[in-house]
DNA sequence: CGGCAAACCTGCGAGC
DNA sequence: TGCTCGCAGGTTTGCC
């Protein structure tokens, strides 16, 4: 999916179109996404003005003027497509459609339906079951070397799996874990508990720099992901290891002929990409 | 606790 | 051209 940089890109696009606008029409095209939509979903949103569009980890939090919060997760294939009302064409898998008082249409489109929406209250949304257990925001100062080391201490699971665990740090997914570990020169196979001190500091710095650059580039993009505007993100062109099996890594001083370049392994049923010459 | 597989669901590209 | 297979950015659950 959309990992943190993609969700942040979507958040910015939605904020430009939605903040301060009234939702004059809300259309719900099916009773459920990953979970059933809450009771009175349409009635609780229609006519409300959007106060703010925020983000926590990979969740979008769209706050209304009555303190209702529309919680959105894009899952693997979820998109928020923005267009003018007069040009809007309904497409398959448009599950929820929002229309603003100044003529914009936002369509939540999610073929695989791993995404979700729920309604919460502003003052208690942090305690929502989906948000309560999340770890620190990786781009905030609260995410730092000592804190990460403490969270990893004693864990025998591999470092890849630990960084995908949203309780350790919230917002990384399969692409940016591989990219961060490459930048930190740490092997995805290393035991998580062995990362402390300067290694933890380096890993935190790597995660922050990868995510910051990706946000700046407007996220990555695969075939089924577009930004709110419909344009593609550019970070995919900067992947060092993700989806680059067999190729030389960009900083290659690691004897390509011996290592065979970027290696793909499967951990927890998901692909991991790394350079065995650089990452230990 | 840990590791793994399966589950949720659809689409797409590769290979035959 | 058309079929089957494997794989895909996420997260949870259940089993050993």
């Amino acid at each position: 999916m959309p990992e943190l940089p993609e969700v942040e890109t979507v958040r910015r696009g939605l904020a430009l179109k939605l903040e301060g606008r009234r939702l004059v029409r809300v259309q719900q095209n099916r009773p459920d996404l990953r979970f059933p939509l809450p009771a009175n979903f349409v009635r609780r949103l229609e006519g409300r003005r959007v106060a703010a569009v925020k983000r926590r980890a990979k969740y979008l939090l769209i706050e209304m003027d009555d303190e209702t919060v529309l919680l959105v997760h894009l899952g693997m294939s979820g998109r928020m497509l923005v267009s003018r009302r007069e040009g809007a064409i309904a497409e398959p898998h448009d599950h929820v459609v929002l229309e603003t008082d100044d003529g914009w249409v936002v369509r939540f489109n999610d073929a695989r339906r791993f995404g979700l929406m729920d309604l919460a209250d502003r003052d208690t949304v942090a305690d929502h079951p989906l948000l309560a257990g999340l770890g620190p925001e990786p781009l905030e100062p609260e995410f730092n070397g000592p804190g990460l080391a403490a969270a990893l201490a004693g864990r025998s699971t591999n470092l890849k799996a630990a960084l995908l665990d949203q309780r350790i740090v919230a917002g990384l997914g399969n692409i940016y874990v591989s990219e961060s570990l490459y930048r930190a020169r740490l092997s995805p196979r290393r035991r998580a508990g062995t990362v402390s001190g300067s290694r933890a500091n380096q890993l935190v710095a790597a995660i922050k720099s990868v995510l910051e650059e990706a946000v700046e580039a407007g996220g990555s993009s695969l075939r089924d992901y577009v930004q709110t505007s419909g344009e593609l993100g550019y970070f995919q062109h900067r992947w060092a290891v993700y989806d680059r099996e067999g190729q030389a890594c960009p900083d290659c001083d690691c004897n390509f002929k011996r290592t065979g370049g970027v290696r793909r392994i499967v951990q927890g049923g998901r692909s991991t990409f790394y350079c065995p010459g650089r990452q230990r």
Side-chain angles (χ1 to χ4, degrees):
Chain A
M1 134 175 156
E3 304 178 34
L4 186 150
E6 291 74 33
V7 178
E8 176 60 20
T9 299
V10 170
R11 186 198 68 76
R12 293 177 182 186
L14 289 181
L16 289 172
K17 293 295 188 293
L18 292 182
E19 284 183 352
R21 306 317 316 182
R22 193 172 293 282
L23 301 181
V24 294
R25 183 157 177 265
V26 175
Q27 182 181 336
Q28 176 187 343
N29 291 332
R30 56 175 303 131
D32 61 308
L33 298 169
R34 187 169 138 212
F35 304 122
L37 288 165
N40 302 314
F41 178 77
V42 168
R43 186 180 63 71
R44 292 169 66 185
L45 292 174
E46 217 163 50
R48 297 265 64 88
R49 195 177 288 278
V50 175
V53 183
K54 299 181 178 177
R55 180 188 59 74
R56 170 75 171 104
K58 302 174 191 173
Y59 290 88
L60 293 165
L61 289 77
I62 306 177
E63 291 186 7
M64 306 297 156
D65 57 357
D66 67 345
E67 305 189 357
T68 295
V69 178
L70 172 58
L71 192 60
V72 181
H73 194 290
L74 299 174
M76 291 277 257
S77 57
R79 298 177 294 170
M80 289 292 215
L81 301 168
V82 178
S83 58
R84 292 297 299 171
R85 178 184 297 139
E86 52 269 25
I89 301 170
E91 294 183 41
H93 313 301
D94 282 348
H95 304 311
V96 172
V97 182
L98 312 175
E99 292 185 25
T100 68
D101 57 357
D102 61 345
W104 290 99
V105 174
V106 177
R107 292 176 290 136
F108 175 73
N109 182 287
D110 183 11
R112 294 177 75 180
R113 240 181 299 132
F114 290 171
L116 65 90
M117 287 190 178
D118 199 5
L119 295 176
D121 294 318
R122 190 187 64 188
D123 293 339
T124 57
V125 68
D127 300 320
H128 190 286
L130 294 166
L131 303 186
L134 293 173
E137 280 291 317
L139 294 180
E140 295 298 318
E142 72 203 59
F143 179 60
N144 53 45
L148 179 61
L152 297 177
R155 293 194 141 234
S156 60
T157 191
N158 66 62
L159 189 51
K160 161 78 181 301
L163 293 181
L164 280 180
D165 186 338
Q166 303 295 297
R167 297 170 297 187
I168 304 278
V169 54
L172 294 177
N174 211 37
I175 293 177
Y176 295 109
V177 166
S178 281
E179 294 297 313
S180 297
L181 288 172
Y182 172 77
R183 198 168 290 199
R185 303 190 71 143
L186 292 171
S187 169
R189 311 165 69 141
R190 167 186 284 273
R191 288 181 57 206
T194 65
V195 175
S196 62
S198 62
R199 284 197 186 101
N201 289 334
Q202 285 167 11
L203 180 52
V204 165
I207 289 168
K208 287 178 187 284
S209 67
V210 164
L211 293 179
E212 282 166 359
E213 289 174 27
V215 167
E216 186 161 0
S220 297
S221 176
L222 297 183
R223 66 185 69 82
D224 60 350
Y225 176 76
V226 292
Q227 297 179 34
T228 52
S229 63
E231 295 169 11
L232 301 179
Y234 291 100
F235 194 78
Q236 56 180 325
H237 302 302
R238 293 213 235 140
W239 291 340
V241 289
Y242 187 82
D243 203 24
R244 300 192 71 236
E245 182 178 14
Q247 300 179 47
C249 74
D251 307 295
C252 203
D253 54 0
C254 38
N255 199 341
F256 179 77
K257 280 187 179 167
R258 275 192 46 175
T259 65
V262 173
R263 191 167 299 174
R264 173 186 178 272
I265 60 175
V266 175
Q267 294 176 297
R270 310 191 69 200
S271 293
T272 303
F273 298 87
Y274 73 108
C275 174
R278 288 179 69 81
Q279 295 174 250
R280 295 301 160 93

mmCIF file of all heavy atoms in Angstrom, chain A residues 170-205:
data_model
loop_
_atom_site.group_PDB
_atom_site.id
_atom_site.type_symbol
_atom_site.label_atom_id
_atom_site.label_comp_id
_atom_site.label_asym_id
_atom_site.label_seq_id
_atom_site.Cartn_x
_atom_site.Cartn_y
_atom_site.Cartn_z
ATOM 1 N N ALA A 170 5.432 3.304 13.680
ATOM 2 C CA ALA A 170 4.162 3.272 12.951
ATOM 3 C C ALA A 170 4.259 3.993 11.621
ATOM 4 O O ALA A 170 4.452 5.217 11.585
ATOM 5 C CB ALA A 170 3.056 3.899 13.804
ATOM 6 N N GLY A 171 4.148 3.245 10.537
ATOM 7 C CA GLY A 171 4.085 3.888 9.229
ATOM 8 C C GLY A 171 4.935 3.241 8.160
ATOM 9 O O GLY A 171 4.753 3.491 6.978
ATOM 10 N N LEU A 172 5.907 2.413 8.600
ATOM 11 C CA LEU A 172 6.728 1.710 7.612
ATOM 12 C C LEU A 172 5.954 0.543 7.024
ATOM 13 O O LEU A 172 5.150 -0.088 7.697
ATOM 14 C CB LEU A 172 8.004 1.167 8.264
ATOM 15 C CG LEU A 172 9.012 2.183 8.772
ATOM 16 C CD1 LEU A 172 10.172 1.465 9.447
ATOM 17 C CD2 LEU A 172 9.521 3.057 7.634
ATOM 18 N N GLY A 173 6.226 0.230 5.769
ATOM 19 C CA GLY A 173 5.675 -0.946 5.128
ATOM 20 C C GLY A 173 6.781 -1.669 4.383
ATOM 21 O O GLY A 173 7.971 -1.432 4.614
ATOM 22 N N ASN A 174 6.413 -2.532 3.493
ATOM 23 C CA ASN A 174 7.383 -3.444 2.888
ATOM 24 C C ASN A 174 8.466 -2.723 2.086
ATOM 25 O O ASN A 174 9.619 -3.134 2.106
ATOM 26 C CB ASN A 174 6.644 -4.445 1.999
ATOM 27 C CG ASN A 174 7.346 -5.781 1.946
ATOM 28 O OD1 ASN A 174 7.905 -6.233 2.943
ATOM 29 N ND2 ASN A 174 7.352 -6.395 0.776
ATOM 30 N N ILE A 175 8.108 -1.673 1.381
ATOM 31 C CA ILE A 175 9.107 -0.970 0.568
ATOM 32 C C ILE A 175 10.100 -0.224 1.449
ATOM 33 O O ILE A 175 11.316 -0.382 1.331
ATOM 34 C CB ILE A 175 8.420 0.033 -0.384
ATOM 35 C CG1 ILE A 175 7.594 -0.705 -1.436
ATOM 36 C CG2 ILE A 175 9.460 0.930 -1.045
ATOM 37 C CD1 ILE A 175 6.819 0.219 -2.371
ATOM 38 N N TYR A 176 9.565 0.594 2.352
ATOM 39 C CA TYR A 176 10.452 1.502 3.092
ATOM 40 C C TYR A 176 11.247 0.794 4.176
ATOM 41 O O TYR A 176 12.292 1.312 4.601
ATOM 42 C CB TYR A 176 9.655 2.701 3.625
ATOM 43 C CG TYR A 176 9.119 3.536 2.484
ATOM 44 C CD1 TYR A 176 7.768 3.557 2.179
ATOM 45 C CD2 TYR A 176 9.981 4.255 1.662
ATOM 46 C CE1 TYR A 176 7.286 4.286 1.104
ATOM 47 C CE2 TYR A 176 9.507 4.979 0.579
ATOM 48 C CZ TYR A 176 8.160 4.994 0.304
ATOM 49 O OH TYR A 176 7.689 5.705 -0.777
ATOM 50 N N VAL A 177 10.823 -0.380 4.611
ATOM 51 C CA VAL A 177 11.672 -1.162 5.502
ATOM 52 C C VAL A 177 12.928 -1.611 4.749
ATOM 53 O O VAL A 177 14.047 -1.454 5.239
ATOM 54 C CB VAL A 177 10.920 -2.374 6.080
ATOM 55 C CG1 VAL A 177 11.896 -3.362 6.711
ATOM 56 C CG2 VAL A 177 9.910 -1.920 7.123
ATOM 57 N N SER A 178 12.745 -2.152 3.558
ATOM 58 C CA SER A 178 13.923 -2.569 2.783
ATOM 59 C C SER A 178 14.842 -1.389 2.499
ATOM 60 O O SER A 178 16.066 -1.492 2.628
ATOM 61 C CB SER A 178 13.486 -3.216 1.458
ATOM 62 O OG SER A 178 13.068 -4.561 1.650
ATOM 63 N N GLU A 179 14.266 -0.274 2.103
ATOM 64 C CA GLU A 179 15.081 0.894 1.770
ATOM 65 C C GLU A 179 15.819 1.447 2.995
ATOM 66 O O GLU A 179 16.979 1.846 2.905
ATOM 67 C CB GLU A 179 14.190 1.983 1.152
ATOM 68 C CG GLU A 179 13.605 1.598 -0.198
ATOM 69 C CD GLU A 179 14.685 1.384 -1.256
ATOM 70 O OE1 GLU A 179 15.593 2.225 -1.382
ATOM 71 O OE2 GLU A 179 14.624 0.352 -1.959
ATOM 72 N N SER A 180 15.154 1.458 4.135
ATOM 73 C CA SER A 180 15.778 1.982 5.357
ATOM 74 C C SER A 180 16.914 1.081 5.825
ATOM 75 O O SER A 180 17.968 1.572 6.239
ATOM 76 C CB SER A 180 14.732 2.119 6.466
ATOM 77 O OG SER A 180 13.731 3.047 6.104
ATOM 78 N N LEU A 181 16.697 -0.216 5.759
ATOM 79 C CA LEU A 181 17.741 -1.143 6.199
ATOM 80 C C LEU A 181 18.958 -1.062 5.286
ATOM 81 O O LEU A 181 20.098 -1.173 5.741
ATOM 82 C CB LEU A 181 17.189 -2.574 6.254
ATOM 83 C CG LEU A 181 16.223 -2.836 7.408
ATOM 84 C CD1 LEU A 181 15.589 -4.217 7.270
ATOM 85 C CD2 LEU A 181 16.938 -2.725 8.748
ATOM 86 N N TYR A 182 18.717 -0.868 4.015
ATOM 87 C CA TYR A 182 19.848 -0.681 3.095
ATOM 88 C C TYR A 182 20.652 0.547 3.496
ATOM 89 O O TYR A 182 21.875 0.508 3.614
ATOM 90 C CB TYR A 182 19.333 -0.538 1.662
ATOM 91 C CG TYR A 182 20.426 -0.157 0.695
ATOM 92 C CD1 TYR A 182 21.343 -1.099 0.251
ATOM 93 C CD2 TYR A 182 20.557 1.157 0.252
ATOM 94 C CE1 TYR A 182 22.359 -0.743 -0.618
ATOM 95 C CE2 TYR A 182 21.572 1.517 -0.612
ATOM 96 C CZ TYR A 182 22.471 0.570 -1.043
ATOM 97 O OH TYR A 182 23.477 0.921 -1.900
ATOM 98 N N ARG A 183 19.940 1.627 3.727
ATOM 99 C CA ARG A 183 20.625 2.881 4.049
ATOM 100 C C ARG A 183 21.385 2.780 5.371
ATOM 101 O O ARG A 183 22.418 3.401 5.547
ATOM 102 C CB ARG A 183 19.614 4.028 4.075
ATOM 103 C CG ARG A 183 20.242 5.393 3.969
ATOM 104 C CD ARG A 183 19.232 6.488 3.705
ATOM 105 N NE ARG A 183 18.645 6.453 2.362
ATOM 106 C CZ ARG A 183 18.040 7.483 1.782
ATOM 107 N NH1 ARG A 183 17.950 8.642 2.437
ATOM 108 N NH2 ARG A 183 17.515 7.374 0.583
ATOM 109 N N ALA A 184 20.842 2.001 6.298
ATOM 110 C CA ALA A 184 21.498 1.835 7.603
ATOM 111 C C ALA A 184 22.558 0.729 7.576
ATOM 112 O O ALA A 184 23.232 0.497 8.590
ATOM 113 C CB ALA A 184 20.454 1.520 8.668
ATOM 114 N N ARG A 185 22.679 0.048 6.454
ATOM 115 C CA ARG A 185 23.653 -1.046 6.287
ATOM 116 C C ARG A 185 23.407 -2.188 7.265
ATOM 117 O O ARG A 185 24.345 -2.847 7.713
ATOM 118 C CB ARG A 185 25.091 -0.527 6.385
ATOM 119 C CG ARG A 185 25.403 0.565 5.366
ATOM 120 C CD ARG A 185 26.868 0.890 5.306
ATOM 121 N NE ARG A 185 27.632 -0.192 4.701
ATOM 122 C CZ ARG A 185 28.689 -0.025 3.897
ATOM 123 N NH1 ARG A 185 29.093 1.197 3.588
ATOM 124 N NH2 ARG A 185 29.333 -1.054 3.405
ATOM 125 N N LEU A 186 22.140 -2.407 7.588
ATOM 126 C CA LEU A 186 21.803 -3.496 8.510
ATOM 127 C C LEU A 186 21.050 -4.589 7.751
ATOM 128 O O LEU A 186 20.174 -4.292 6.934
ATOM 129 C CB LEU A 186 20.925 -2.968 9.650
ATOM 130 C CG LEU A 186 21.630 -2.016 10.626
ATOM 131 C CD1 LEU A 186 20.629 -1.378 11.578
ATOM 132 C CD2 LEU A 186 22.710 -2.764 11.409
ATOM 133 N N SER A 187 21.369 -5.826 8.062
ATOM 134 C CA SER A 187 20.716 -6.947 7.386
ATOM 135 C C SER A 187 19.293 -7.139 7.900
ATOM 136 O O SER A 187 19.055 -7.100 9.116
ATOM 137 C CB SER A 187 21.497 -8.243 7.615
ATOM 138 O OG SER A 187 20.722 -9.345 7.165
ATOM 139 N N PRO A 188 18.348 -7.364 6.999
ATOM 140 C CA PRO A 188 16.976 -7.650 7.433
ATOM 141 C C PRO A 188 16.890 -8.942 8.233
ATOM 142 O O PRO A 188 15.898 -9.164 8.931
ATOM 143 C CB PRO A 188 16.211 -7.774 6.111
ATOM 144 C CG PRO A 188 17.244 -8.100 5.086
ATOM 145 C CD PRO A 188 18.495 -7.399 5.534
ATOM 146 N N ARG A 189 17.926 -9.795 8.146
ATOM 147 C CA ARG A 189 17.897 -11.076 8.839
ATOM 148 C C ARG A 189 18.457 -10.995 10.253
ATOM 149 O O ARG A 189 18.323 -11.957 11.020
ATOM 150 C CB ARG A 189 18.718 -12.099 8.045
ATOM 151 C CG ARG A 189 18.354 -12.114 6.584
ATOM 152 C CD ARG A 189 19.401 -12.836 5.763
ATOM 153 N NE ARG A 189 19.369 -14.252 6.065
ATOM 154 C CZ ARG A 189 19.526 -15.213 5.152
ATOM 155 N NH1 ARG A 189 19.717 -14.885 3.887
ATOM 156 N NH2 ARG A 189 19.498 -16.458 5.500
ATOM 157 N N ARG A 190 19.061 -9.890 10.579
ATOM 158 C CA ARG A 190 19.663 -9.721 11.901
ATOM 159 C C ARG A 190 18.595 -9.816 12.993
ATOM 160 O O ARG A 190 17.468 -9.379 12.819
ATOM 161 C CB ARG A 190 20.319 -8.340 11.935
ATOM 162 C CG ARG A 190 20.734 -7.854 13.300
ATOM 163 C CD ARG A 190 21.221 -6.426 13.216
ATOM 164 N NE ARG A 190 22.559 -6.333 12.638
ATOM 165 C CZ ARG A 190 23.679 -6.433 13.354
ATOM 166 N NH1 ARG A 190 23.619 -6.643 14.652
ATOM 167 N NH2 ARG A 190 24.846 -6.313 12.764
ATOM 168 N N ARG A 191 18.960 -10.382 14.137
ATOM 169 C CA ARG A 191 18.034 -10.399 15.272
ATOM 170 C C ARG A 191 17.769 -8.984 15.743
ATOM 171 O O ARG A 191 18.696 -8.203 15.953
ATOM 172 C CB ARG A 191 18.605 -11.221 16.413
ATOM 173 C CG ARG A 191 18.605 -12.720 16.158
ATOM 174 C CD ARG A 191 19.156 -13.476 17.351
ATOM 175 N NE ARG A 191 18.384 -13.153 18.561
ATOM 176 C CZ ARG A 191 18.885 -13.225 19.789
ATOM 177 N NH1 ARG A 191 20.122 -13.574 19.982
ATOM 178 N NH2 ARG A 191 18.115 -12.930 20.828
ATOM 179 N N ALA A 192 16.496 -8.660 15.909
ATOM 180 C CA ALA A 192 16.118 -7.290 16.245
ATOM 181 C C ALA A 192 16.800 -6.811 17.527
ATOM 182 O O ALA A 192 17.235 -5.656 17.618
ATOM 183 C CB ALA A 192 14.600 -7.189 16.385
ATOM 184 N N GLY A 193 16.923 -7.696 18.490
ATOM 185 C CA GLY A 193 17.489 -7.307 19.779
ATOM 186 C C GLY A 193 18.953 -6.930 19.747
ATOM 187 O O GLY A 193 19.477 -6.378 20.727
ATOM 188 N N THR A 194 19.623 -7.200 18.628
ATOM 189 C CA THR A 194 21.040 -6.832 18.539
ATOM 190 C C THR A 194 21.231 -5.385 18.083
ATOM 191 O O THR A 194 22.356 -4.929 17.942
ATOM 192 C CB THR A 194 21.782 -7.746 17.542
ATOM 193 O OG1 THR A 194 21.253 -7.523 16.221
ATOM 194 C CG2 THR A 194 21.609 -9.213 17.920
ATOM 195 N N VAL A 195 20.137 -4.686 17.821
ATOM 196 C CA VAL A 195 20.240 -3.304 17.354
ATOM 197 C C VAL A 195 20.074 -2.355 18.539
ATOM 198 O O VAL A 195 18.983 -2.229 19.105
ATOM 199 C CB VAL A 195 19.173 -3.006 16.285
ATOM 200 C CG1 VAL A 195 19.209 -1.539 15.892
ATOM 201 C CG2 VAL A 195 19.403 -3.887 15.056
ATOM 202 N N SER A 196 21.175 -1.741 18.923
ATOM 203 C CA SER A 196 21.152 -0.773 20.027
ATOM 204 C C SER A 196 22.277 0.221 19.790
ATOM 205 O O SER A 196 23.015 0.129 18.813
ATOM 206 C CB SER A 196 21.324 -1.497 21.373
ATOM 207 O OG SER A 196 22.570 -2.154 21.411
ATOM 208 N N GLY A 197 22.388 1.188 20.679
ATOM 209 C CA GLY A 197 23.488 2.149 20.603
ATOM 210 C C GLY A 197 23.590 2.822 19.250
ATOM 211 O O GLY A 197 22.588 3.297 18.706
ATOM 212 N N SER A 198 24.809 2.818 18.681
ATOM 213 C CA SER A 198 25.009 3.558 17.436
ATOM 214 C C SER A 198 24.249 2.912 16.281
ATOM 215 O O SER A 198 23.817 3.607 15.352
ATOM 216 C CB SER A 198 26.499 3.631 17.109
ATOM 217 O OG SER A 198 27.027 2.337 16.910
ATOM 218 N N ARG A 199 24.071 1.585 16.328
ATOM 219 C CA ARG A 199 23.282 0.948 15.263
ATOM 220 C C ARG A 199 21.839 1.454 15.277
ATOM 221 O O ARG A 199 21.250 1.720 14.231
ATOM 222 C CB ARG A 199 23.273 -0.572 15.423
ATOM 223 C CG ARG A 199 24.560 -1.252 15.003
ATOM 224 C CD ARG A 199 24.323 -2.734 14.790
ATOM 225 N NE ARG A 199 25.586 -3.420 14.527
ATOM 226 C CZ ARG A 199 26.258 -4.122 15.435
ATOM 227 N NH1 ARG A 199 25.788 -4.244 16.673
ATOM 228 N NH2 ARG A 199 27.392 -4.704 15.119
ATOM 229 N N ALA A 200 21.281 1.576 16.448
ATOM 230 C CA ALA A 200 19.907 2.081 16.550
ATOM 231 C C ALA A 200 19.838 3.529 16.079
ATOM 232 O O ALA A 200 18.889 3.919 15.386
ATOM 233 C CB ALA A 200 19.395 1.951 17.984
ATOM 234 N N ASN A 201 20.846 4.308 16.456
ATOM 235 C CA ASN A 201 20.872 5.702 15.994
ATOM 236 C C ASN A 201 20.940 5.771 14.477
ATOM 237 O O ASN A 201 20.252 6.587 13.848
ATOM 238 C CB ASN A 201 22.078 6.436 16.593
ATOM 239 C CG ASN A 201 21.913 6.683 18.083
ATOM 240 O OD1 ASN A 201 20.790 6.768 18.589
ATOM 241 N ND2 ASN A 201 23.021 6.790 18.788
ATOM 242 N N GLN A 202 21.773 4.919 13.884
ATOM 243 C CA GLN A 202 21.904 4.932 12.426
ATOM 244 C C GLN A 202 20.613 4.476 11.750
ATOM 245 O O GLN A 202 20.220 5.013 10.711
ATOM 246 C CB GLN A 202 23.059 4.025 11.995
ATOM 247 C CG GLN A 202 24.423 4.648 12.261
ATOM 248 C CD GLN A 202 25.557 3.642 12.132
ATOM 249 O OE1 GLN A 202 25.352 2.524 11.651
ATOM 250 N NE2 GLN A 202 26.741 4.047 12.572
ATOM 251 N N LEU A 203 19.974 3.499 12.345
ATOM 252 C CA LEU A 203 18.730 3.005 11.755
ATOM 253 C C LEU A 203 17.643 4.077 11.823
ATOM 254 O O LEU A 203 16.911 4.294 10.845
ATOM 255 C CB LEU A 203 18.284 1.726 12.464
ATOM 256 C CG LEU A 203 16.986 1.079 11.965
ATOM 257 C CD1 LEU A 203 17.010 0.874 10.447
ATOM 258 C CD2 LEU A 203 16.760 -0.256 12.670
ATOM 259 N N VAL A 204 17.546 4.751 12.944
ATOM 260 C CA VAL A 204 16.564 5.834 13.064
ATOM 261 C C VAL A 204 16.849 6.924 12.034
ATOM 262 O O VAL A 204 15.934 7.406 11.349
ATOM 263 C CB VAL A 204 16.568 6.415 14.498
ATOM 264 C CG1 VAL A 204 15.843 7.755 14.546
ATOM 265 C CG2 VAL A 204 15.920 5.423 15.458
ATOM 266 N N ALA A 205 18.107 7.290 11.902
ATOM 267 C CA ALA A 205 18.461 8.331 10.927
ATOM 268 C C ALA A 205 18.116 7.889 9.515
ATOM 269 O O ALA A 205 17.622 8.679 8.699
ATOM 270 C CB ALA A 205 19.945 8.666 11.044
#
